[in-house]
Amino acid sequence: MTFRYDINGLRAIAVIAVVLFHFNPLWVPGGFAGVDVFFVISGFLMTGIIFKGLENNSFSLFKFYVARANRIIPAMAVLCLAMLVFGWFYLSPVDYPRLGKDVASSLGFLSNFFYAREFGYFEQGIHEKWLLHTWSLSVEWQFYIIFPIALLILKTFFSQLQLKRLLVLGTILLFGFSVFATAEWPRSAYYLLPTRAWEMMFGGIAYFYPLLLKDSQKKYVEWMGIALIISSYALISSSTPWPGHLALLPVLGAYLIIIANNRNSIFTNNPPFQWLGKWSYSIYLWHWPIVVFGHYVEVDHWWVYGIPLSILFGYLSYTFIERYQWQPLQEWKSVGLVKPLWMAMLIAGTASFVYLTEGVKGHYPPAVVTASDEQLNKNPHRCMIGQADKTESLKQCYIGNKDNIKALVIGDSHADSVTTALTSELDLKAEGAVTFIRANCPFVINAKDNRNSDICYEENFSRLEQAKNYAGTPIIIISRWTAYIYGQSDPKRIRNGDNRASMYFGEEKYMAEAQLLQEFSKNLTTTLCSLPKTSPKFIMQPVPEMGTNVPATMTKALLFGEENIDLSIEDDLYFARNSNIRRIISDAATTCKAVVLDPSEILCQKGRCIADINGRPIYFDGDHLNEFGNKLLTPLFNKYF
């Protein structure tokens, strides 16, 4: 196939959008659609390679696979090796094994399956995944494996004309399935081949049905394509269901640019876009780990350094790795001589060893292991339901002897993290506790979660009814109260007046702070006073929040050579942030004759709220106490149990 300068420039249009989106989504809110453009290009080129071979009876499945391996694997293998070396020195015993798993799945071209199971592409936590972007390479490789085999099989039953028509029909059907699946299974739809294949097949249609356009017509068709792509970058965003029907915008745009075949375009055939187009694969490979590195070391305005570094590493990778000419092989018996496969297997094997040995844990200093281990939240009695789990409306969880219940614990994930401070003082063979715990669901009547309002609302009425079955049993209520009024914790910012809280207590979803506090006070008092009068009632004030992931931050600091890390906060920050909530809890407790448990009496001493003791974190993130930390609160419960 003659070198297509327009397609090379189209690669630049795609990679620029992806890079800008990942460094700052506000610049190009729909920049992730650049991946869809890449898919169309791949489909066009692969269809051309396969069908030219089929027409000439010279197509070799082995040579096709080897060519793809030589093209894709070496640059990615070098990146993965570099990540493993970096991780050896600078990733924690928790993060390094995860990197090992991601490297192995990426080089096995299965990473899209793993990411589809773990979290959505736009969810929090993606900047902890150094190789998240390899999902698209896995999709492409899976297409490369299946597509030529399918065509070879169909060729024995259908003519070339019929094959073309089948491709069009298949594209339409898979597009319809993609729209349906995006609505029903959004996470899987984003990552997996069945909902992405139509985009590559659309590229095949561009190959099968080229348009013979005059030079004067080509530029208008190209302009339409560019307009569609740019509009997709500007009009869609991470909140858009993807790849739903709006994915037609970038896909159709790429299709129009390809069929226009405008070799003299000022948009695609200009020196900067030609350079970026040639380096686009390697730029794509390197840019995301560079983005993650900026988040990891917390550099402000990282894009100033990260974007030039992405281009530089892309250029070097293209020049010294991509352009290397591998030995041409002709037959399946030569498969053992495909050196890129050996590269992939060797590095994937090393990565698997890293994963199975917990990051070769013995190579870390003891202080690093001590700090890092606290991220794992080793709660032996974890009884919490996930915030979005609709399969269970209420979960009654017993700890110890369920025939002799000494305490009833109700609340959200903070209750889950503190429960064993209470149960550690029970003789669990003879005594027990029962919990009703759901993430992001405080025990306040009429509390609704803006993201999933009905679950928490209904759950709390069920909790109240269940509490009546334990009349006479002490009831302890624990929640991350302040976060539901003022949002996520940042001890340096007290977000007074923020009317977009995550919970609301009435008909209106968003209320001013004063009204929100008033409703919270009224509903908390109603909740406490509705509990059985024969049950001793306890309610805990908010646990101090550090505003940073304590074990992760400590581990990172130690790995980078820092010592004597102090992540504690001034207690004034804690009391200022929680002043309104603490007052409301105290007033409600007085009205309903409940006892207030105050963790700040133990965790905040000498003007500081502590984050660790002698280098061992007491939190497993920034606000949940770990098993070591929650035991500090045991004296708080010993007064009454």
Side-chain angles (χ1 to χ4, degrees):
M1 184 180 293
T2 305
F3 186 78
R4 293 280 300 266
Y5 291 95
D6 56 324
I7 291 179
N8 194 48
L10 183 57
R11 289 193 183 102
I13 293 174
V15 78
I16 289 171
V18 173
V19 170
L20 292 179
F21 172 77
H22 284 151
F23 275 98
N24 191 335
L26 297 178
W27 292 341
V28 189
F32 57 88
V35 171
D36 304 79
V37 174
F38 276 126
F39 284 158
V40 178
I41 295 172
S42 293
F44 173 79
L45 296 175
M46 294 310 104
T47 303
I49 292 170
I50 295 167
F51 261 82
K52 281 191 175 181
L54 292 177
E55 288 174 350
N56 301 327
N57 293 317
S58 61
F59 179 73
S60 166
L61 197 61
F62 175 75
K63 290 171 65 176
F64 177 81
Y65 288 154
V66 170
R68 303 283 69 72
N70 290 343
R71 171 77 176 88
I72 294 174
I73 291 177
M76 185 160 74
V78 170
L79 168 68
C80 289
L81 179 60
M83 292 306 309
L84 288 175
V85 173
F86 168 80
W88 177 269
F89 296 101
Y90 298 113
L91 292 185
S92 74
V94 171
D95 294 330
Y96 194 35
R98 292 172 182 167
L99 175 65
K101 184 185 74 170
D102 290 348
V103 166
S105 65
S106 296
L107 288 172
F109 296 101
L110 298 170
S111 61
N112 58 328
F113 290 104
F114 287 92
Y115 295 136
R117 290 168 52 189
E118 292 177 358
F119 53 79
Y121 189 76
F122 305 108
E123 294 178 10
Q124 291 184 349
I126 63 170
H127 291 109
E128 298 174 4
K129 288 292 182 181
W130 295 84
L131 296 173
L132 176 64
H133 63 318
T134 63
W135 75 268
S136 64
L137 304 178
S138 295
V139 168
E140 284 198 39
W141 187 258
Q142 291 156 21
F143 181 78
Y144 295 159
I145 290 174
I146 296 172
F147 190 54
I149 294 175
L151 290 179
L152 285 171
I153 294 173
L154 292 172
K155 184 176 179 290
T156 62
F157 300 102
F158 300 99
S159 67
Q160 185 167 314
L161 178 61
Q162 290 172 323
L163 273 179
K164 293 179 180 179
R165 291 173 177 172
L166 281 174
L167 182 69
V168 174
L169 178 61
T171 303
I172 294 171
L173 292 176
L174 284 174
F175 169 69
F177 173 73
S178 177
V179 173
F180 170 78
T182 299
E184 294 295 319
W185 313 292
R187 181 184 297 176
S188 297
Y190 191 91
Y191 288 110
L192 301 183
L193 176 63
T195 48
R196 294 290 189 165
W198 71 274
E199 299 178 344
M200 287 170 273
M201 293 166 69
F202 218 109
I205 294 174
Y207 176 80
F208 279 141
Y209 297 98
L211 294 182
L212 299 177
L213 301 172
K214 298 178 181 179
D215 289 343
S216 60
Q217 296 172 320
K218 288 182 177 181
K219 64 180 181 180
Y220 296 114
V221 175
E222 181 197 36
W223 291 354
M224 288 174 57
I226 291 174
L228 287 172
I229 292 174
I230 298 303
S231 66
S232 71
Y233 293 166
L235 298 177
I236 66 174
S237 69
S238 58
S239 62
T240 305
W242 203 261
H245 61 281
L246 287 177
L248 271 175
L249 288 176
V251 169
L252 186 57
Y255 165 82
L256 290 174
I257 292 174
I258 291 172
I259 64 171
N261 194 11
N262 186 6
R263 298 173 184 273
N264 301 314
S265 168
I266 61 172
F267 294 106
T268 56
N269 194 3
N270 60 73
F273 275 31
Q274 287 301 304
W275 296 330
L276 292 174
K278 283 192 297 184
W279 310 335
S280 60
Y281 172 55
S282 285
I283 291 174
Y284 181 80
L285 280 177
W286 281 94
H287 88 280
W288 178 251
I290 291 173
V291 169
V292 176
F293 179 78
H295 281 264
Y296 187 67
V297 298
E298 300 178 356
V299 176
D300 292 333
H301 308 296
W302 174 240
W303 66 270
V304 174
Y305 316 96
I307 292 177
L309 282 173
S310 300
I311 297 172
L312 174 62
F313 276 79
Y315 163 74
L316 294 173
S317 175
Y318 170 79
T319 303
F320 297 106
I321 302 171
E322 280 193 70
R323 294 179 64 185
Y324 183 83
Q325 297 297 313
W326 298 92
Q327 177 186 0
L329 301 170
Q330 305 295 326
E331 299 177 350
W332 285 100
K333 65 182 181 181
S334 303
V335 67
L337 301 176
V338 183
K339 293 179 182 178
L341 288 180
W342 284 104
M343 292 173 62
M345 288 189 291
L346 180 61
I347 296 172
T350 303
S352 299
F353 179 76
V354 167
Y355 173 67
L356 294 173
T357 59
E358 297 182 331
V360 196
K361 204 167 186 177
H363 88 276
Y364 290 103
V368 170
V369 175
T370 297
S372 178
D373 278 354
E374 296 303 341
Q375 293 181 72
L376 300 177
N377 187 27
K378 299 174 182 178
N379 184 339
H381 302 298
R382 195 166 178 82
C383 291
M384 183 173 63
I385 304 174
Q387 65 186 62
D389 187 351
K390 299 180 181 180
T391 60
E392 296 183 82
S393 60
L394 189 67
K395 183 177 180 180
Q396 183 170 266
C397 181
Y398 293 102
I399 301 172
N401 189 335
K402 66 179 182 180
D403 295 323
N404 186 20
I405 298 300
K406 294 296 184 180
L408 172 63
V409 181
I410 308 176
D412 60 9
S413 60
H414 275 215
D416 183 64
S417 69
V418 171
T419 298
T420 52
L422 166 65
T423 58
S424 64
E425 292 303 303
L426 298 177
D427 178 2
L428 295 181
K429 292 183 178 180
E431 303 168 318
V434 62
T435 68
F436 295 98
I437 295 172
R438 180 185 286 275
N440 287 327
C441 186
F443 185 35
V444 185
I445 295 300
N446 293 324
K448 296 183 180 181
D449 187 327
N450 285 342
R451 295 160 296 182
N452 226 347
S453 61
D454 291 339
I455 294 179
C456 190
Y457 181 83
E458 295 171 0
E459 177 105 349
N460 280 326
F461 285 104
S462 298
R463 287 165 160 179
L464 193 57
E465 289 302 311
Q466 284 292 327
K468 296 176 181 177
N469 295 330
Y470 294 91
T473 301
I475 300 173
I476 303 98
I477 302 171
I478 306 169
S479 288
R480 189 184 180 186
W481 307 107
T482 308
Y484 301 113
I485 305 298
Y486 295 113
Q488 298 299 310
S489 169
D490 182 347
K492 297 180 182 178
R493 290 178 58 208
I494 303 169
R495 295 166 54 180
N496 290 322
D498 186 345
N499 66 349
R500 301 183 74 81
S502 59
M503 306 298 292
Y504 62 101
F505 306 92
E507 295 301 319
E508 292 189 26
K509 188 170 286 192
Y510 301 119
M511 294 179 280
E513 180 192 11
Q515 183 184 359
L516 192 59
L517 290 170
Q518 183 179 4
E519 291 294 323
F520 172 68
S521 177
K522 180 181 71 174
N523 286 285
L524 180 63
T525 302
T526 300
T527 304
L528 276 176
C529 290
S530 298
L531 293 171
K533 297 187 184 304
T534 57
S535 292
K537 291 171 282 191
F538 303 85
I539 184 168
M540 183 177 284
Q541 295 283 15
V543 168
E545 301 189 16
M546 298 297 107
T548 186
N549 186 311
V550 175
T553 303
M554 289 187 66
T555 303
K556 188 193 310 180
L558 290 167
L559 289 169
F560 279 87
E562 296 182 36
E563 298 180 359
N564 302 318
I565 307 104
D566 183 9
L567 297 179
S568 66
I569 62 170
E570 296 178 3
D571 61 6
D572 286 348
L573 289 174
Y574 165 75
F575 289 114
R577 173 175 165 78
N578 296 283
S579 60
N580 288 325
I581 305 303
R582 288 174 61 86
R583 173 181 51 79
I584 289 171
I585 288 173
S586 296
D587 291 346
T590 300
T591 301
C592 302
K593 299 180 180 179
V595 175
V596 176
L597 306 174
D598 191 352
S600 69
E601 294 176 0
I602 295 174
L603 301 180
C604 299
Q605 300 286 339
K606 299 180 181 179
R608 310 289 296 182
C609 295
I610 62 171
D612 70 283
I613 295 179
N614 298 324
R616 184 175 180 180
I618 65 171
Y619 293 83
F620 68 77
D621 53 18
D623 57 274
H624 294 86
L625 293 170
N626 57 29
E627 284 303 289
F628 171 62
N630 74 36
K631 297 302 187 297
L632 300 176
L633 300 184
T634 299
L636 206 60
F637 297 105
N638 279 346
K639 294 180 183 179
Y640 308 102
F641 296 94

